[in-house]
Amino acid sequence: MVQRAHLGQQDSAELIKDLSLLTNHIRLPNFPAVLQQVLGKLCYFDTLIMVAYKQALKPLLIHPRDPAEQSATLRFYLNQAYLLDPLFNAIQQDVASGVYRLADMAPDSFQDTEYFQTCYQEFGLEDEINLIVELDKDTRCAISLGRKQSAGEIQHNELKQLKLVFPMLEALMRQFWWLQAGEFTQQTPPSAPMQQALKSFAQGVLTDREQEVLGLLLKGHSSKSIGEDLGISAGTVKVHRKNIHAKLNTSSQSEIFTLFLSHLEHMEHSPK
């Protein structure tokens, strides 16, 4: 566990020293571990995950690299569940580089989704802060700092410190990626078929509009939010939801989520 940062007590000289140390490790494999130490002095967190999202590839795990530190939930996220994640979808929509709480990006009913209840909560987190960096024109990196319930939500002064240092961290991350990207991308399989998973789920059973509603529903949008996104009324969305359940022979989001996981599994193992 990362030790709680002594907020407000890290003076400029110490910060410069830490950033200099980080700069000296840009060419070394332990750069992410040193970055974790530096961030731990700016903001308290229990977990740190660093993932790159490169066009046409599955998410690339940069840190932690030791398989012993990678939970089954993390591996499930990297292989399949990322398609429903607010962070991934924000990046797909070209969210600007910066510091974000998960709540800043998540749809209005995200915590009611089966994905959140059965997968996301397995990480045991109360709050999550994401540092999003544009590494190059095709690649974004997200440094996700997770806080468990005992730590509570991120404090204003912690968020302020992260935003203050972010421009320097962003520059260092870009240099790190420029120097070491090949190590992470050379053996990563393309994910183009997986990117079509939501569009192909229940294809031929549902209408195009019902598929649009279903995709937004799985991501955590309420009927009101779906209606605003598609330009239809919440009442019409509810009718679509009723028809979706009837056609898929389901009665809950949990059952739809199970069907979607089966669909993902099939796509994962289908010939590329």
Side-chain angles (χ1 to χ4, degrees), residues 56-169:
L57 296 178
K58 288 184 176 182
L60 311 173
L61 184 63
I62 298 175
H63 183 74
R65 298 288 283 175
D66 184 351
E69 299 180 56
Q70 301 169 13
S71 67
T73 302
L74 175 58
R75 289 191 291 271
F76 176 55
Y77 169 82
L78 294 170
N79 287 317
Q80 297 176 331
Y82 68 92
L83 294 166
L84 301 180
D85 191 69
L87 172 60
F88 170 77
N89 285 291
I91 289 174
Q92 295 304 298
Q93 296 169 14
D94 294 325
V95 63
S97 295
V99 182
Y100 300 87
R101 289 183 58 206
L102 177 67
D104 297 329
M105 297 181 288
D108 56 351
S109 292
F110 175 61
Q111 292 191 2
D112 296 328
T113 64
E114 193 66 21
Y115 164 62
F116 178 84
Q117 298 294 333
T118 64
C119 181
Y120 193 86
Q121 281 196 323
E122 287 297 318
F123 287 115
L125 304 180
E126 171 73 14
D127 199 2
E128 182 181 278
I129 307 94
N130 294 286
L131 284 67
I132 299 178
V133 175
E134 182 178 345
L135 299 174
D136 56 46
K137 64 184 182 67
D138 296 324
T139 313
R140 301 282 182 92
C141 173
I143 305 169
S144 299
L145 312 178
R147 296 163 67 105
K148 295 186 177 179
Q149 190 169 11
S150 58
E153 296 182 351
I154 186 172
Q155 301 299 305
H156 175 73
N157 53 350
E158 293 176 293
L159 197 60
K160 183 178 179 180
Q161 289 196 109
L162 288 173
K163 289 181 177 180
L164 179 66
V165 178
F166 179 78
M168 186 63 185
L169 296 180

Side-chain angles (χ1 to χ4, degrees), residues 242 244-253 255-256 259:
K242 182 178 180 181
I244 289 168
H245 280 302
K247 292 180 179 181
L248 296 182
N249 194 28
T250 58
S251 59
S252 66
Q253 271 214 51
E255 292 177 342
I256 290 178
L259 290 177

